[in-house]
């Protein structure tokens, strides 16, 4: 007969004499019925044990708690640091916590493990996907509730493909050995293991139970996919004759933030749309127009079996002014990549913390950092001059390209209506809506986004220079007339029909066909529930005369071709234009998606089916006489096959070497705190019944999530997003305290709490309960 999981105590007792890779603490256990019948006898036996005089831990060991049938992990009580004199009361409390009269329930008593250096939980399969990864969550010290309960503390998480080479991390190797031994002994491939390391590095098994997971693809298929990703990453790490920089890095957040916009596991349709409309060529075309190096033949986004990543070397090349010479460009790209590798938590804020992509008023301080890393005075001066020329071109009130880009977006709206009202077939309309969305939508948006980045960088540098206070910067941003501020205003004054006529095309997940538009599911988003009343007052911003003089002096000192009024006109127009252009191009995109859904339905495919198609089918329809149903069926089948791997594969947020594909630590992201406010409030997800007065937690929030601001939320937390992302801007405009881009580890801990305290001024989030 094979190994049988029983209660926690009985399972540990069965393993104690068999394990070679870890130790099990001495243990004593008693059944509830026996305790009730012979308390004194049980205590006497316990007192005779040579370890009974040390501090004890009295733990639950209920029938079925860790058995084969089901796991009731964390349901019952454990009491640490119990003295022998207090043991009886502790046993009573544990049995009472069962809330039932089951004679087979037991209580486990062990000595407290002294000198604990680290403790945590390991899964032998990823709980979300069922894939064969060892997922280890650890915390410094003995309190495993830091991991299991979301308490504050120094935590770490490591993921290791079980069939890969041995991990390099000294903490992970012994846990992997223990996992393999437990799998061999128990015959169970999916286990939940609680462990601790003492100060001497000895590994202790505290608990093991079956892990209930649904496995996806076969382990061998996932193994082949993992090796393919490793090979692709290895090839990309080599020098490229047409790129500066000796190597690359792949990340989910640097530059155009795919994790925020389409998610870490987008549907094939969303992924192919984002590539088509932005990252294959549009991004590079417009960046070159704005004065940077020509990267037009390089896709910015690559995907590993559907997981989207930015090629960071390509991105960093594109931030170098095009008149910077080759040797300095090479040196800059290498430096930027080395700095990112040294501080990977900056992966979502590279333009503000790593790359010099525009001339700002704190340029002297930023150049000092370059000088400290080996750049000569001539190189620093040459870069500053190039950035000054580029920035002057962008901020010029007469010739700045962003002004022409604003006009292009207006053309898109006119052409959208023309296309929709024409007699073209539905598939022709989809084709032309998407073509126009590129030419008159995402292309000018890319330019306006660049201008907006420059505007925010320059505004922040005025804070760094001491000319503006942080509160004044927030007031300036909050006073802008953006789509977000209009939406907040219109929520109060427009009726439901008028609101949907203006904003109905928006959807959470702009590129995701499965996400319903506002006008298809207004009740889902609580549209019409915001109520009337006066909109909240807008913050007031005005420069004082001394501030204006100081800025005029800075403009002259740094050789920037503008005056104070012109500069702030640029700031306002660039930031407002970026948000307006995004709003307009997403309408064309949203209409194209709805038409695509109708085409799918006519061919017998539901929306969920269509999410697995590649947008390339639209070009095929336009360029051939291919049958709609056959073309869609083939594309959907390929997409479904790919998405099985997309769901099963685990990869890190930043891939620096091929080995990161199979063994990696979760990135400790430095979140972006928006506003200087603090709030204590319940934590809610968007699917919860009421968001009013809550801190809302959204993994990745694109513009389609603007509906949440109509519900009087108290705060916002996202897993992904940069300091200049849509939600960061919206929170700043509305004065809502927010944490943008917390990273998955912090986000998961905070989103699963009941009540949070968010203190943006002190950059802290605390779990209240």
């Amino acid at each position: 007969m094979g190994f049988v999981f029983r209660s926690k105590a009985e399972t540990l007792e069965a393993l104690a004499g068999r394990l070679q890779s870890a130790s099990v603490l001495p243990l004593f256990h008693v059944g509830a019925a026996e305790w009730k019948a012979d308390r004194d006898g049980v205590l006497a036996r316990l007192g005779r044990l040579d370890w009974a005089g040390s501090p004890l831990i009295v733990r639950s060991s209920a029938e079925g708690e860790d058995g084969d049938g089901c796991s009731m992990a964390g349901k019952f009580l454990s009491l640490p640091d119990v003295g022998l004199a207090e043991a009886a009361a502790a046993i009573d409390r544990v049995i009472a916590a069962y809330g039932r009269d089951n004679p087979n329930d037991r209580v486990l008593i062990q000595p407290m493990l002294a000198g604990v250096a680290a403790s945590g939980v390991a899964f032998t399969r990823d709980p979300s996907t069922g894939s064969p990864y060892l997922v280890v969550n650890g915390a410094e010290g003995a309190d495993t509730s830091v991991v299991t309960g979301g308490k504050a503390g120094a935590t770490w998480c490591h993921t290791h493909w079980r069939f890969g080479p041995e991990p390099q991390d000294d903490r992970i190797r012994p846990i992997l050995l223990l996992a393999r031994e437990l799998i061999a002994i128990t015959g169970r491939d999916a286990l939940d293991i609680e462990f601790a390391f003492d100060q001497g590095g000895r590994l202790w098994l505290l608990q093991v139970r079956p892990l209930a997971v649904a496995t996806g693809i076969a382990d061998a298929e996932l193994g082949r996919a993992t090796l393919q990703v490793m090979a692709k990453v290895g090839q990309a790490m080599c020098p490229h004759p047409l790129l500066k920089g000796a190597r690359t890095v792949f990340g989910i957040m640097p530059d155009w933030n795919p994790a925020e916009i389409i998610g870490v596991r987008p549907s094939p349709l969303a992924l192919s749309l984002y590539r088509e409309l932005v990252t294959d060529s549009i991004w590079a075309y417009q960046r070159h127009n704005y004065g940077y190096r020509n990267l037009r033949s390089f896709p910015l986004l690559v995907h590993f079996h559907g997981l989207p990543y930015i090629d960071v070397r390509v991105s960093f090349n594109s931030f170098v002014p095009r008149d910077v010479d080759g040797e300095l460009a090479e040196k800059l790209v290498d430096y930027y990549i080395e700095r990112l590798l040294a501080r990977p938590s900056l992966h979502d804020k590279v333009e503000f913390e790593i790359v010099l992509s525009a001339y700002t008023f704190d340029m002297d301080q930023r150049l000092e950092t370059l000088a400290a890393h080996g750049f000569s005075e001539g190189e620093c001066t040459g870069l500053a001059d190039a950035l000054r020329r580029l920035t002057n071109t962008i901020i010029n009130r007469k010739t700045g390209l962003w002004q022409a880009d604003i006009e292009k977006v207006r053309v898109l709206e006119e052409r959208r209506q023309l296309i929709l009202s024409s007699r073209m077939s539905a598939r022709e309309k989809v084709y032309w809506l998407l073509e126009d969305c590129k030419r008159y939508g995402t292309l000018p948006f890319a330019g306006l986004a660049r201008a907006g980045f420059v505007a925010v960088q320059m505004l922040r540098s005025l804070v760094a220079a001491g000319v503006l206070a942080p509160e004044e910067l927030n007031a300036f941003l909050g006073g802008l007339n953006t789509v977000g501020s209009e939406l907040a205003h219109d929520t109060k004054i427009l009726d439901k029909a008028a609101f949907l006529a203006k904003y109905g095309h928006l959807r959470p997940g702009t590129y995701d066909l499965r996400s319903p538009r506002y006008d298809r599911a207004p009740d889902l988003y609580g549209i019409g529930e915001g109520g009337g009343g006066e909109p909240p007052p807008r913050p007031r911003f005005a420069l004082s005369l001394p501030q204006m003089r100081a800025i005029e002096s800075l403009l002259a000192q740094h050789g920037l071709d503008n005056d104070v009024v012109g500069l702030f006109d640029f700031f306002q127009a660039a930031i407002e234009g970026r948000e307006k252009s995004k709003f307009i191009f997403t309408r064309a995109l949203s209409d194209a998606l709805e038409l695509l859904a109708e085409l799918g339905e006519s061919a017998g495919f539901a929306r969920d089916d269509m999410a697995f198609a590649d947008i390339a089918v639209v070009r095929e329809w336009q360029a051939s006489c291919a049958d709609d149903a056959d073309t869609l069926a083939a594309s959907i089948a390929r997409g479904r096959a790919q998405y099985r791997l997309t769901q099963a594969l685990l990869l890190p947020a930043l891939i620096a070497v091929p080995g990161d594909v199979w063994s990696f630590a979760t990135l400790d992201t430095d979140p972006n705190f928006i506003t200087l406010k603090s709030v204590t409030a319940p934590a809610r997800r968007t699917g919860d019944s009421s968001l009013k007065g809550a801190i809302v937690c959204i993994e990745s929030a694109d513009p389609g999530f603007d509906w949440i601001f109509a519900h009087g939320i108290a705060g916002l937390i996202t897993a992904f997003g940069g300091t200049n992302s849509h939600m960061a801007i919206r929170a700043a405009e509305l004065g809502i305290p927010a944490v943008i881009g917390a990273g998955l580890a912090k986000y998961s801990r905070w989103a699963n709490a009941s009540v949070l305290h968010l203190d943006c001024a002190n950059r802290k989030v605390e779990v209240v309960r």
Side-chain angles (χ1 to χ4, degrees):
M1 183 177 178
F3 189 92
V4 177
F5 282 92
R6 294 186 173 87
S7 69
K8 181 187 306 179
E10 293 166 311
T11 297
L12 285 174
E13 190 172 50
L15 291 169
R18 301 176 65 178
L19 280 180
Q20 302 296 316
S21 56
S23 303
V24 176
L25 288 163
L27 57 86
F28 176 90
H29 56 95
V30 59
E34 182 184 4
W35 173 250
K36 185 176 181 179
D38 187 17
R39 295 167 61 95
D40 292 340
V42 171
L43 289 173
R45 293 201 309 275
L46 175 62
R48 288 194 293 270
L49 298 173
D50 57 7
W51 47 267
S54 62
L56 307 173
I57 182 168
V58 181
R59 308 171 68 190
S60 63
S61 184
E63 184 179 45
E65 183 179 354
D66 291 343
D68 280 310
C70 66
S71 172
M72 295 180 280
K75 183 176 180 180
F76 301 124
L77 190 63
S78 290
L79 300 172
D81 291 311
V82 174
L84 184 59
E86 303 156 341
I91 294 170
D92 284 337
R93 285 183 62 192
V94 170
I95 292 175
Y98 293 149
R100 63 192 188 191
D101 186 16
N102 185 338
N104 295 321
D105 286 340
R106 307 191 70 77
V107 177
L108 169 63
I109 304 167
Q110 293 178 286
M112 289 288 295
L113 181 60
V116 175
S119 59
V121 176
F123 304 115
T124 60
R125 283 190 176 269
D126 175 57
S128 299
T129 66
S131 300
Y133 292 92
L134 179 72
V135 181
V136 184
N137 291 273
E140 306 308 314
D143 188 3
T144 56
S145 65
V146 172
V147 172
T148 60
K151 292 185 179 180
T155 62
W156 45 272
C157 179
H158 197 103
T159 300
H160 181 84
W161 180 40
R162 287 204 344 243
F163 306 115
E166 294 297 302
Q168 300 298 309
D169 193 311
D170 291 338
R171 296 173 300 188
I172 306 303
R173 282 197 301 274
I175 299 173
L176 179 61
L177 289 175
L178 172 60
R180 288 172 175 167
E181 186 177 12
L182 287 171
I183 289 171
I185 291 173
T186 65
R188 300 294 292 264
D189 190 51
L191 298 171
D192 175 353
I193 303 165
E194 192 172 334
F195 66 87
F197 287 100
D198 63 24
Q199 296 289 350
R202 187 177 183 183
L203 178 61
W204 295 84
L205 174 66
L206 305 181
Q207 188 170 347
V208 60
R209 52 183 166 240
L211 179 66
V213 294
T215 57
I217 65 172
D219 291 353
E221 186 178 354
L222 181 62
R224 286 192 295 272
T226 301
L227 294 175
Q228 289 167 352
V229 176
M230 290 177 66
K232 175 69 174 178
V233 170
Q235 292 167 2
M237 293 297 169
C238 299
H240 191 289
L242 303 179
L243 285 173
K244 303 301 180 184
R247 53 161 304 169
T248 193
V249 176
F250 294 101
I252 63 173
M253 285 298 295
D255 207 355
W256 284 98
N257 301 352
E260 179 187 13
I261 303 302
I262 57 175
V264 293
R265 287 186 170 83
S267 70
L269 179 61
L271 175 62
S272 61
L273 260 175
Y274 196 53
R275 293 175 59 194
E276 176 76 13
L277 296 183
V278 178
T279 65
D280 277 355
S281 59
I282 292 296
W283 77 280
Y285 184 90
Q286 192 65 304
R287 198 160 289 177
H288 183 229
N289 285 345
Y290 270 65
Y292 298 92
R293 289 177 62 84
N294 184 355
L295 275 294
R296 294 190 186 193
S297 296
F298 288 92
L300 179 65
L301 183 151
V302 299
H303 73 89
F304 302 125
H305 295 294
L307 299 175
Y309 280 80
I310 296 300
D311 186 330
V312 175
R313 176 169 56 182
V314 171
S315 169
F316 286 174
N317 269 260
S318 76
F319 285 129
V320 177
R322 62 184 171 211
D323 54 353
V324 167
D325 67 72
E327 185 175 339
L328 177 55
E330 182 88 25
K331 193 171 180 179
L332 280 169
V333 173
D334 282 334
Y335 163 71
Y336 294 153
I337 289 177
E338 287 167 9
R339 191 166 177 203
L340 176 60
L341 292 173
R343 295 193 61 190
S345 64
L346 299 178
H347 73 129
D348 62 343
K349 47 184 77 67
V350 294
E351 264 201 90
F352 291 102
E353 303 290 346
I354 294 178
V355 171
L356 281 77
S357 61
Y359 195 97
T360 54
F361 295 110
D362 59 351
M363 183 56 63
D364 291 343
Q365 291 87 344
R366 301 191 75 181
L367 291 176
E368 286 176 5
T369 303
L370 283 185
H373 286 83
F375 286 79
S376 70
E377 182 179 350
E379 289 171 328
C380 290
T381 301
L383 176 60
D385 289 344
L387 289 171
R388 184 184 295 108
R389 289 190 294 270
L390 181 149
T391 303
N392 275 330
T393 300
I394 291 174
I395 69 176
N396 190 289
R397 68 170 73 188
K398 293 181 180 179
T399 60
L401 290 175
W402 54 273
Q403 296 179 85
D405 284 334
I406 290 175
E407 294 303 317
K408 286 181 183 177
V409 175
R410 294 193 180 107
V411 171
L412 175 61
E413 180 60 15
E414 296 171 3
R415 290 175 63 97
R416 182 188 71 87
Q417 295 176 8
L418 187 65
I419 290 168
L420 291 175
S421 62
S422 73
R423 299 179 63 183
M424 286 191 292
S425 67
R427 65 183 194 174
E428 284 183 293
K429 289 179 179 179
V430 172
Y431 174 83
W432 284 109
L433 283 171
L434 294 179
E435 284 298 300
D436 274 10
C437 193
K438 286 189 289 185
R439 184 175 296 107
Y440 301 108
T442 54
L443 180 63
F445 168 70
L448 288 163
R450 174 87 335 243
F453 262 109
V454 172
V456 174
Q457 284 181 303
M458 296 186 78
L459 279 164
R460 288 176 52 156
S461 72
L462 286 173
V463 176
V467 177
L468 290 181
E471 296 84 355
E472 291 176 308
L473 173 57
N474 288 336
F476 175 79
L477 294 174
L480 296 177
N481 185 30
T482 65
V483 171
S485 60
E486 285 183 28
L487 187 147
H489 178 269
D490 290 345
T491 297
K492 297 290 186 180
I493 65 171
L494 296 182
D495 62 26
K496 187 173 184 178
F499 184 89
L500 290 175
K502 186 173 182 179
Y503 301 102
H505 69 280
L506 296 175
R507 69 175 91 225
T510 300
Y511 296 81
D512 189 354
L513 180 62
R514 296 168 297 184
S515 177
R517 290 167 38 135
Y518 286 8
D519 56 10
R520 288 182 60 88
D523 293 340
L524 176 64
Y525 303 119
I527 293 171
E529 297 174 5
E534 289 297 317
R538 305 287 292 279
R540 294 174 60 86
F541 173 82
L543 291 171
S544 67
L545 188 57
Q547 285 176 313
M548 294 182 70
R549 288 173 177 159
I551 296 170
E552 286 285 8
S553 177
L554 284 171
L555 286 167
Q557 174 188 335
H558 290 281
L560 293 172
D561 301 335
N562 222 320
D563 56 27
V564 176
V565 174
L567 184 66
F568 274 78
D569 280 348
F570 162 72
F571 293 160
Q572 179 176 355
I575 296 172
E576 290 179 353
R578 174 182 60 185
E579 299 307 302
K580 185 67 172 179
S581 64
K582 185 188 303 179
F583 182 76
I584 292 175
F585 94 70
T586 56
R587 178 179 280 126
L589 170 57
S590 189
D591 287 342
L593 284 172
E594 291 306 303
L595 285 170
L596 196 60
E598 292 174 13
L599 284 167
E601 185 177 359
S602 66
F605 298 104
R607 281 176 180 261
D608 283 351
D609 297 320
M610 293 297 292
F612 294 97
D614 191 294
I615 200 61
V617 298
V618 174
R619 186 173 295 278
E620 183 65 20
W621 288 338
Q622 185 68 15
S624 73
C625 56
D627 179 77
D628 288 6
D630 291 344
T631 308
L632 278 176
S635 184
I636 289 168
R638 287 192 299 269
R640 286 190 181 281
Q642 173 183 288
Y643 200 65
R644 291 173 64 245
L645 284 172
T646 303
Q647 291 179 300
L649 197 61
L650 299 185
L651 293 175
L654 210 62
I655 301 175
V657 294
D660 289 343
V661 170
W662 51 263
S663 194
F664 56 90
T666 298
L667 201 58
D668 185 17
T669 299
D670 184 17
N672 303 286
F673 287 83
I674 310 301
T675 79
L676 300 175
K677 297 180 179 180
S678 65
V679 65
T680 301
R684 296 281 188 269
R685 307 289 185 106
T686 53
D688 292 341
S689 58
S690 176
L691 303 183
K692 184 176 178 62
I695 297 172
V696 178
C697 301
I698 309 173
E699 186 171 295
S700 55
D702 69 359
F705 280 91
D706 273 0
W707 63 272
I708 66 173
F709 297 112
H711 289 261
I713 68 172
L716 174 66
I717 295 176
T718 72
F720 302 110
T723 188
N724 211 30
S725 67
H726 177 81
M727 280 300 180
I729 293 166
R730 292 291 288 112
E733 288 172 354
L734 299 175
I736 294 173
V739 183
I740 304 298
L744 280 172
K746 290 186 177 76
Y747 173 82
S748 178
R749 186 161 68 248
W750 297 337
N752 288 318
S754 296
V755 178
L756 293 171
H757 175 66
L758 199 168
D759 183 350
C760 292
N762 292 303
R763 302 180 63 81
K764 293 193 306 182
V765 179
E766 297 176 345
V767 176
V768 178
R769 66 172 188 268

